[in-house]
């Protein structure tokens, strides 16, 4: 019979731990601890506290700032999880000097960071500058899309929200009638309770929409027409690129690489895949092009190469060109024997889309043409290619490494504060990894 080493869960052992020793030089936490303690002016938090004579002592903002930024660097955004880490993770314990802040304290601290984030962010930048981490050659702005803490189904113009609210009210009244009928029929109490809960839930939704409609003003787009607003976070919106400031913008179109001779030799992922398949003697199927589809401009209907009808998806302007587009029905495309020639991916969920320009192709507006010329100029190409080494790594680091997949706060200023805290983490990492080499 096998023998195993002896162990005893009832034994005791004393493990000595000095928290300061857990914050090792050369690590992110060491840099964070050092910068917060020596470089940041935390007097910006002073006005929050009125306990100099009376009241319990508060958690030191330095402690809270350290644990929050460290948590962000580890992809943790939930206040409960940060509080849990402060009880269970030795680095969090060390950074918080084992003071174990409550999750509600952490949540409140984060939600009020918009009041103080600007000077703190600047101080970290100044530390970067002191370590020659800022080149001072170029100042570039770029954007990336990140989901807000607001669901899309809570978005709509006032007219759409009015319709939604009326629909919910009608559903509530129908359910109430059915509920009263069930009550008379002596339905089991659990069914009645479930119906009642559903009614209350819908009434709450209706009240939420009503409150929004009564308090929030109509949101207008650039042309003064109503645009969708969101009930949960009125500041959130579908992203639009607006250059209101005097910014030297570079906005590439999706063909700019094709026009750039530097990419003449390069092959896209799909082309390379097709080439490899050809080399192996396989068939490279050409995807059906719009000419392969049977579009009738009079009836505005379309049949695909398999002879199946398609539904009209869109008719309107795309890049200033009147366009009509159709899409195949999922159930047709899923079982279609031609899907390898038609769909981008044979297992894709949605049906094939195809678009047709209506009338003569219009020349692109002067703005688009001008931007193309600017992007295609030697200076434009040089500046645009710098994105790869300047701002793209920041987005990549924050989204992929730090797990910033969506904002957890609501409202423009709070979302901005959360974004800046993530950027502080990025800059502190730079100080931790590059700063020591340059110092
Ligand atoms: S994949 Fe869909 S759209 Fe394409 S030919 Fe088949 S049914 Fe028609």
């Amino acid at each position: 019979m096998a023998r195993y080493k002896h162990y005893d869960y009832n034994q005791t052992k004393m493990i000595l731990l000095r928290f300061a020793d857990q914050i090792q030089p050369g690590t992110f936490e060491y840099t964070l601890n050092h910068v917060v303690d020596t470089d940041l002016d935390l007097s910006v938090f002073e006005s929050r506290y009125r306990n100099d004579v009376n009241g319990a002592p508060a958690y030191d903002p330095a402690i809270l700032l350290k644990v929050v930024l460290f948590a962000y660097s580890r992809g943790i955004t939930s206040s409960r999880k940060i509080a849990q880490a402060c009880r269970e993770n030795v680095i969090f314990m060390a950074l918080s000097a084992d003071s174990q802040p409550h999750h509600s304290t952490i949540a409140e601290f984060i939600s009020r960071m918009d009041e103080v984030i600007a000077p703190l962010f600047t101080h970290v930048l100044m530390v970067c500058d002191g370590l020659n981490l800022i080149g001072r050659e170029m100042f570039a702005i770029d954007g990336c899309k990140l989901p807000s803490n607001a669901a899309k189904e809570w978005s709509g113009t006032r007219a759409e929200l009015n319709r939604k609210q009326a629909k919910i009210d009608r559903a509530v009244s129908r359910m109430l009638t059915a509920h009263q009928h069930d009550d008379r029929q002596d339905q089991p109490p659990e069914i009645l309770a479930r119906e009642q809960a559903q009614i209350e839930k819908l009434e709450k939704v209706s009240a939420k929409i009503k409150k929004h409609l009564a308090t929030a003003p109509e949101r207008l787009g650039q042309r003064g027409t109503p645009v969708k607003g969101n009930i949960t976070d009125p500041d959130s919106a579908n992203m639009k690129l607006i250059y209101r400031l005097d910014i030297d913008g570079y906005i590439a179109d999706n063909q700019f690489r094709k026009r750039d001779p530097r990419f003449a030799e390069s092959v896209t992922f799909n082309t390379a895949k097709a080439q490899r398949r050809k080399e192996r003697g396989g068939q490279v199927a050409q995807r059906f092009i719009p000419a392969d589809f049977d579009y009738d401009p009079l009836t505005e209907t379309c049949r695909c190469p398999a002879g199946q009808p398609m539904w009209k998806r869109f008719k309107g302007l795309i890049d200033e060109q009147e366009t009509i587009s159709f899409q195949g029905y999922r159930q047709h495309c899923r079982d279609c024997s031609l899907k390898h020639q038609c769909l981008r991916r044979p297992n894709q969920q949605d049906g094939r889309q195809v678009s047709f320009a209506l009338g003569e192709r219009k020349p692109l507006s002067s703005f688009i043409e001008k931007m193309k010329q600017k992007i295609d100029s030697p200076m434009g190409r040089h500046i645009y290619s710098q994105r790869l080494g300047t701002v793209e790594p920041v987005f990549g680091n924050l989204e992929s490494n730090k797990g910033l997949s969506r904002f957890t706060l609501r409202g423009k200023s709070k979302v901005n504060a959360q974004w800046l805290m993530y950027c502080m983490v990025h800059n502190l990492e730079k100080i931790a990894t590059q700063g020591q080499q340059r110092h």
Side-chain angles (χ1 to χ4, degrees):
M1 191 177 164
R3 290 185 304 122
Y4 301 109
K5 289 186 187 300
H6 173 74
Y7 57 85
D8 178 5
Y9 282 118
N10 289 318
Q11 66 183 316
T12 53
K13 184 171 187 171
M14 184 176 282
I15 302 171
L16 288 179
L17 191 69
R18 189 168 169 264
F19 287 122
D21 292 342
Q22 307 309 311
I23 304 173
Q24 290 289 308
T27 60
F28 173 77
E29 53 269 22
Y30 184 87
T31 304
L32 170 66
N33 193 47
H34 182 79
V35 169
V36 171
D37 282 347
T38 57
D39 295 301
L40 299 193
D41 177 6
L42 300 181
S43 62
V44 286
F45 290 99
E46 274 288 310
S47 58
R48 288 189 185 183
Y49 304 101
R50 298 267 182 280
N51 61 350
D52 43 348
V53 180
N54 299 316
Y59 286 100
D60 192 324
I63 295 275
L64 296 173
L65 189 61
K66 284 177 200 175
V67 294
V68 168
L69 293 183
F70 187 65
Y72 280 13
S73 80
R74 295 290 185 270
I76 306 171
T77 48
S78 151
S79 304
R80 284 176 193 275
K81 288 206 172 134
I82 298 173
Q84 184 186 8
C86 289
R87 296 191 302 272
E88 297 175 358
N89 181 304
V90 75
I91 307 288
F92 277 91
M93 284 182 194
L95 285 172
S96 61
D98 205 22
S99 50
Q100 302 191 3
H102 192 260
H103 69 82
S104 58
T105 308
I106 295 171
E108 206 226 341
F109 179 79
I110 295 173
S111 76
R112 294 184 63 188
M113 277 302 285
D114 55 325
E115 299 163 6
V116 295
I117 191 69
L120 299 179
F121 182 80
T122 310
H123 290 156
V124 173
L125 268 190
M126 283 160 67
V127 176
C128 291
D129 195 32
L131 294 167
N132 295 325
L133 292 175
I134 300 178
R136 294 167 184 256
E137 290 165 12
M138 183 188 190
F139 178 70
I141 297 173
D142 204 342
C144 70
K145 286 185 184 181
L146 279 170
S148 62
N149 189 0
K152 223 175 175 181
E153 66 258 24
W154 288 105
S155 294
T157 60
R158 286 181 86 77
E160 285 167 347
L161 292 173
N162 268 319
R163 278 200 296 277
K164 188 171 182 167
Q165 191 228 316
K167 202 170 157 188
I168 292 171
D169 285 349
R170 282 198 300 276
V172 168
S173 120
R174 264 198 316 272
M175 286 171 77
L176 268 174
T177 314
H179 183 70
Q180 282 156 4
H181 177 260
D182 288 351
D183 209 3
R184 282 195 296 275
Q185 300 287 315
D186 282 340
Q187 284 279 8
E190 58 274 15
I191 293 187
L192 292 174
R194 213 167 37 229
E195 284 176 358
Q196 184 60 35
Q198 262 184 333
I199 291 169
E200 282 170 16
K201 196 173 162 192
L202 283 177
E203 280 175 341
K204 263 193 203 160
V205 172
S206 172
K208 193 173 168 184
I209 300 177
K210 261 185 216 154
K211 189 177 167 205
H212 174 81
L213 290 170
T215 52
E218 174 85 285
R219 200 169 175 157
L220 299 176
Q222 271 181 305
R223 292 180 191 156
T225 49
V227 294
K228 288 177 194 281
N230 187 277
I231 296 176
T232 319
D233 183 355
D235 283 349
S236 72
N238 286 339
M239 198 179 108
K240 283 217 165 53
L241 206 57
I242 300 170
Y243 281 101
R244 289 179 193 283
L245 306 170
D246 189 15
I247 290 172
D248 181 26
Y250 291 81
I251 307 169
D253 56 289
N254 54 16
Q255 299 292 315
F256 85 103
R257 279 207 171 84
K258 283 195 179 161
R259 299 192 303 271
D260 190 335
R262 292 175 304 171
F263 293 100
E265 298 293 310
S266 71
V267 281
T268 64
F269 176 76
N270 282 338
T271 319
K273 203 167 138 192
Q275 272 175 1
R276 280 200 300 276
R277 197 184 296 166
K278 211 171 181 180
E279 281 161 20
R280 289 200 301 268
Q283 289 287 315
V284 181
Q286 289 293 320
R287 265 183 97 217
F288 291 134
I289 57 171
D292 296 320
F293 290 73
D294 186 10
Y295 164 56
D296 183 344
L298 288 178
T299 54
E300 293 192 343
T301 55
C302 181
R303 282 191 179 270
C304 70
Q308 298 287 6
M310 302 178 86
W311 59 278
K312 190 161 96 180
R313 194 169 184 277
F314 168 81
K315 186 181 175 189
L317 288 178
I318 296 180
D319 282 345
E320 302 187 9
Q321 172 68 49
E322 183 76 1
T323 306
I324 188 165
S325 75
F326 296 89
Q327 186 160 10
Y329 290 94
R330 266 185 205 181
Q331 65 270 30
H332 293 158
C333 297
R334 199 176 43 218
D335 305 323
C336 177
S337 59
L338 300 176
K339 67 179 175 186
H340 291 276
Q341 280 173 270
C342 193
L343 305 179
R344 247 179 237 288
R345 287 168 285 110
N347 58 348
Q348 81 181 47
Q349 294 296 313
D350 295 327
R352 165 73 192 258
Q353 284 181 33
V354 64
S355 299
F356 302 91
L358 299 177
E360 285 288 299
R361 272 219 173 269
K362 285 183 191 162
L364 292 172
S365 80
S366 58
F367 285 125
I368 296 174
E369 275 307 324
K370 271 186 194 160
M371 184 51 76
K372 276 186 174 178
Q373 283 167 16
K374 188 175 175 183
I375 285 276
D376 290 348
S377 69
M379 180 53 85
R381 282 180 178 151
H382 171 70
I383 287 180
Y384 195 76
S385 65
Q386 286 189 316
R387 282 168 55 252
L388 295 174
T390 52
V391 328
E392 290 295 340
V394 181
F395 298 147
N397 181 30
L398 297 185
E399 285 186 61
S400 301
N401 300 338
K402 305 289 170 286
L404 174 58
S405 53
R406 69 181 315 122
F407 293 108
T408 54
L409 301 180
R410 289 174 184 160
K412 222 185 236 175
S413 68
K414 291 188 193 308
V415 166
N416 185 46
Q418 196 169 31
W419 171 250
L420 288 181
M421 280 194 279
Y422 266 102
C423 293
M424 277 169 77
V425 168
H426 179 86
N427 289 339
L428 285 164
E429 262 183 355
K430 281 244 155 108
I431 296 170
T433 54
Q434 308 292 317
Q436 288 165 356
Q437 295 163 20
R438 303 202 185 185
H439 205 42

PDB file of all heavy atoms in Angstrom, residues 75 77 145-148 398-400 402-408 422:
ATOM      1  N   GLY A  75      -6.558  44.288 -13.637  1.00  0.00           N
ATOM      2  CA  GLY A  75      -7.843  44.048 -14.317  1.00  0.00           C
ATOM      3  C   GLY A  75      -9.018  43.893 -13.374  1.00  0.00           C
ATOM      4  O   GLY A  75     -10.035  43.313 -13.744  1.00  0.00           O
ATOM      5  N   THR A  77     -11.971  45.734 -11.333  1.00  0.00           N
ATOM      6  CA  THR A  77     -12.664  47.021 -11.236  1.00  0.00           C
ATOM      7  C   THR A  77     -13.772  46.988 -10.180  1.00  0.00           C
ATOM      8  O   THR A  77     -14.231  48.039  -9.753  1.00  0.00           O
ATOM      9  CB  THR A  77     -13.301  47.418 -12.583  1.00  0.00           C
ATOM     10  OG1 THR A  77     -14.010  46.294 -13.074  1.00  0.00           O
ATOM     11  CG2 THR A  77     -12.280  47.871 -13.590  1.00  0.00           C
ATOM     12  N   LYS A 145     -13.090  52.886 -29.196  1.00  0.00           N
ATOM     13  CA  LYS A 145     -14.459  52.734 -28.699  1.00  0.00           C
ATOM     14  C   LYS A 145     -14.475  51.760 -27.544  1.00  0.00           C
ATOM     15  O   LYS A 145     -13.907  50.674 -27.649  1.00  0.00           O
ATOM     16  CB  LYS A 145     -15.352  52.194 -29.812  1.00  0.00           C
ATOM     17  CG  LYS A 145     -15.685  53.193 -30.857  1.00  0.00           C
ATOM     18  CD  LYS A 145     -16.672  52.567 -31.820  1.00  0.00           C
ATOM     19  CE  LYS A 145     -16.951  53.529 -32.952  1.00  0.00           C
ATOM     20  NZ  LYS A 145     -17.907  52.993 -33.888  1.00  0.00           N
ATOM     21  N   LEU A 146     -15.130  52.154 -26.462  1.00  0.00           N
ATOM     22  CA  LEU A 146     -15.294  51.240 -25.324  1.00  0.00           C
ATOM     23  C   LEU A 146     -16.744  51.309 -24.879  1.00  0.00           C
ATOM     24  O   LEU A 146     -17.328  52.393 -24.842  1.00  0.00           O
ATOM     25  CB  LEU A 146     -14.395  51.679 -24.164  1.00  0.00           C
ATOM     26  CG  LEU A 146     -12.934  51.260 -24.252  1.00  0.00           C
ATOM     27  CD1 LEU A 146     -12.123  51.972 -23.187  1.00  0.00           C
ATOM     28  CD2 LEU A 146     -12.782  49.766 -24.098  1.00  0.00           C
ATOM     29  N   PRO A 147     -17.329  50.189 -24.523  1.00  0.00           N
ATOM     30  CA  PRO A 147     -18.736  50.230 -24.096  1.00  0.00           C
ATOM     31  C   PRO A 147     -18.903  50.996 -22.787  1.00  0.00           C
ATOM     32  O   PRO A 147     -18.032  50.944 -21.915  1.00  0.00           O
ATOM     33  CB  PRO A 147     -19.095  48.757 -23.884  1.00  0.00           C
ATOM     34  CG  PRO A 147     -17.997  47.976 -24.507  1.00  0.00           C
ATOM     35  CD  PRO A 147     -16.786  48.836 -24.512  1.00  0.00           C
ATOM     36  N   SER A 148     -20.010  51.707 -22.683  1.00  0.00           N
ATOM     37  CA  SER A 148     -20.299  52.409 -21.429  1.00  0.00           C
ATOM     38  C   SER A 148     -21.113  51.483 -20.534  1.00  0.00           C
ATOM     39  O   SER A 148     -21.492  50.390 -20.933  1.00  0.00           O
ATOM     40  CB  SER A 148     -21.099  53.672 -21.720  1.00  0.00           C
ATOM     41  OG  SER A 148     -22.327  53.307 -22.312  1.00  0.00           O
ATOM     42  N   LEU A 398      -4.180  48.751 -22.293  1.00  0.00           N
ATOM     43  CA  LEU A 398      -5.311  48.918 -21.372  1.00  0.00           C
ATOM     44  C   LEU A 398      -6.439  47.931 -21.670  1.00  0.00           C
ATOM     45  O   LEU A 398      -7.042  47.383 -20.750  1.00  0.00           O
ATOM     46  CB  LEU A 398      -5.836  50.354 -21.421  1.00  0.00           C
ATOM     47  CG  LEU A 398      -4.830  51.427 -20.971  1.00  0.00           C
ATOM     48  CD1 LEU A 398      -5.482  52.794 -20.933  1.00  0.00           C
ATOM     49  CD2 LEU A 398      -4.258  51.111 -19.601  1.00  0.00           C
ATOM     50  N   GLU A 399      -6.689  47.694 -22.953  1.00  0.00           N
ATOM     51  CA  GLU A 399      -7.810  46.791 -23.280  1.00  0.00           C
ATOM     52  C   GLU A 399      -7.432  45.321 -23.101  1.00  0.00           C
ATOM     53  O   GLU A 399      -8.166  44.564 -22.489  1.00  0.00           O
ATOM     54  CB  GLU A 399      -8.262  47.019 -24.723  1.00  0.00           C
ATOM     55  CG  GLU A 399      -9.066  48.304 -24.880  1.00  0.00           C
ATOM     56  CD  GLU A 399      -9.635  48.439 -26.268  1.00  0.00           C
ATOM     57  OE1 GLU A 399     -10.416  47.584 -26.667  1.00  0.00           O
ATOM     58  OE2 GLU A 399      -9.272  49.407 -26.973  1.00  0.00           O
ATOM     59  N   SER A 400      -6.266  44.918 -23.623  1.00  0.00           N
ATOM     60  CA  SER A 400      -5.923  43.489 -23.587  1.00  0.00           C
ATOM     61  C   SER A 400      -5.259  43.084 -22.285  1.00  0.00           C
ATOM     62  O   SER A 400      -5.647  42.093 -21.671  1.00  0.00           O
ATOM     63  CB  SER A 400      -4.987  43.138 -24.741  1.00  0.00           C
ATOM     64  OG  SER A 400      -5.612  43.440 -25.934  1.00  0.00           O
ATOM     65  N   LYS A 402      -4.855  44.929 -19.360  1.00  0.00           N
ATOM     66  CA  LYS A 402      -5.507  45.359 -18.112  1.00  0.00           C
ATOM     67  C   LYS A 402      -6.989  44.990 -18.089  1.00  0.00           C
ATOM     68  O   LYS A 402      -7.688  45.283 -17.122  1.00  0.00           O
ATOM     69  CB  LYS A 402      -5.367  46.882 -17.924  1.00  0.00           C
ATOM     70  CG  LYS A 402      -3.947  47.384 -17.969  1.00  0.00           C
ATOM     71  CD  LYS A 402      -3.183  46.951 -16.733  1.00  0.00           C
ATOM     72  CE  LYS A 402      -1.708  47.222 -16.863  1.00  0.00           C
ATOM     73  NZ  LYS A 402      -0.999  46.332 -17.759  1.00  0.00           N
ATOM     74  N   GLY A 403      -7.472  44.432 -19.182  1.00  0.00           N
ATOM     75  CA  GLY A 403      -8.856  43.943 -19.192  1.00  0.00           C
ATOM     76  C   GLY A 403      -9.894  45.049 -19.147  1.00  0.00           C
ATOM     77  O   GLY A 403     -11.005  44.842 -18.660  1.00  0.00           O
ATOM     78  N   LEU A 404      -9.533  46.253 -19.660  1.00  0.00           N
ATOM     79  CA  LEU A 404     -10.528  47.338 -19.675  1.00  0.00           C
ATOM     80  C   LEU A 404     -11.497  47.089 -20.834  1.00  0.00           C
ATOM     81  O   LEU A 404     -11.281  47.536 -21.959  1.00  0.00           O
ATOM     82  CB  LEU A 404      -9.827  48.698 -19.834  1.00  0.00           C
ATOM     83  CG  LEU A 404     -10.745  49.909 -19.997  1.00  0.00           C
ATOM     84  CD1 LEU A 404     -11.696  50.067 -18.824  1.00  0.00           C
ATOM     85  CD2 LEU A 404      -9.935  51.182 -20.177  1.00  0.00           C
ATOM     86  N   SER A 405     -12.557  46.332 -20.565  1.00  0.00           N
ATOM     87  CA  SER A 405     -13.488  45.998 -21.640  1.00  0.00           C
ATOM     88  C   SER A 405     -14.699  46.923 -21.632  1.00  0.00           C
ATOM     89  O   SER A 405     -15.388  47.073 -22.626  1.00  0.00           O
ATOM     90  CB  SER A 405     -13.949  44.554 -21.514  1.00  0.00           C
ATOM     91  OG  SER A 405     -14.448  44.338 -20.218  1.00  0.00           O
ATOM     92  N   ARG A 406     -15.002  47.544 -20.486  1.00  0.00           N
ATOM     93  CA  ARG A 406     -16.099  48.512 -20.427  1.00  0.00           C
ATOM     94  C   ARG A 406     -15.924  49.367 -19.173  1.00  0.00           C
ATOM     95  O   ARG A 406     -15.259  48.969 -18.222  1.00  0.00           O
ATOM     96  CB  ARG A 406     -17.453  47.822 -20.416  1.00  0.00           C
ATOM     97  CG  ARG A 406     -17.781  47.054 -19.149  1.00  0.00           C
ATOM     98  CD  ARG A 406     -19.135  46.377 -19.214  1.00  0.00           C
ATOM     99  NE  ARG A 406     -20.166  47.248 -19.748  1.00  0.00           N
ATOM    100  CZ  ARG A 406     -20.892  46.936 -20.832  1.00  0.00           C
ATOM    101  NH1 ARG A 406     -20.682  45.810 -21.457  1.00  0.00           N
ATOM    102  NH2 ARG A 406     -21.821  47.744 -21.268  1.00  0.00           N
ATOM    103  N   PHE A 407     -16.527  50.560 -19.210  1.00  0.00           N
ATOM    104  CA  PHE A 407     -16.455  51.429 -18.035  1.00  0.00           C
ATOM    105  C   PHE A 407     -17.480  50.974 -17.017  1.00  0.00           C
ATOM    106  O   PHE A 407     -18.563  50.515 -17.376  1.00  0.00           O
ATOM    107  CB  PHE A 407     -16.708  52.886 -18.436  1.00  0.00           C
ATOM    108  CG  PHE A 407     -15.618  53.446 -19.288  1.00  0.00           C
ATOM    109  CD1 PHE A 407     -15.820  53.688 -20.628  1.00  0.00           C
ATOM    110  CD2 PHE A 407     -14.374  53.711 -18.746  1.00  0.00           C
ATOM    111  CE1 PHE A 407     -14.803  54.185 -21.423  1.00  0.00           C
ATOM    112  CE2 PHE A 407     -13.346  54.211 -19.531  1.00  0.00           C
ATOM    113  CZ  PHE A 407     -13.557  54.444 -20.866  1.00  0.00           C
ATOM    114  N   THR A 408     -17.124  51.101 -15.737  1.00  0.00           N
ATOM    115  CA  THR A 408     -18.080  50.683 -14.707  1.00  0.00           C
ATOM    116  C   THR A 408     -18.793  51.882 -14.091  1.00  0.00           C
ATOM    117  O   THR A 408     -19.721  51.716 -13.318  1.00  0.00           O
ATOM    118  CB  THR A 408     -17.365  49.897 -13.586  1.00  0.00           C
ATOM    119  OG1 THR A 408     -16.286  50.693 -13.089  1.00  0.00           O
ATOM    120  CG2 THR A 408     -16.835  48.578 -14.097  1.00  0.00           C
ATOM    121  N   TYR A 422      -6.910  54.678 -15.529  1.00  0.00           N
ATOM    122  CA  TYR A 422      -6.257  53.617 -16.306  1.00  0.00           C
ATOM    123  C   TYR A 422      -4.994  54.158 -16.995  1.00  0.00           C
ATOM    124  O   TYR A 422      -3.979  53.478 -17.058  1.00  0.00           O
ATOM    125  CB  TYR A 422      -7.226  53.038 -17.341  1.00  0.00           C
ATOM    126  CG  TYR A 422      -7.957  51.818 -16.825  1.00  0.00           C
ATOM    127  CD1 TYR A 422      -9.267  51.899 -16.381  1.00  0.00           C
ATOM    128  CD2 TYR A 422      -7.323  50.583 -16.764  1.00  0.00           C
ATOM    129  CE1 TYR A 422      -9.931  50.778 -15.898  1.00  0.00           C
ATOM    130  CE2 TYR A 422      -7.978  49.463 -16.279  1.00  0.00           C
ATOM    131  CZ  TYR A 422      -9.283  49.567 -15.851  1.00  0.00           C
ATOM    132  OH  TYR A 422      -9.923  48.461 -15.360  1.00  0.00           O
TER     133      TYR A 422
END
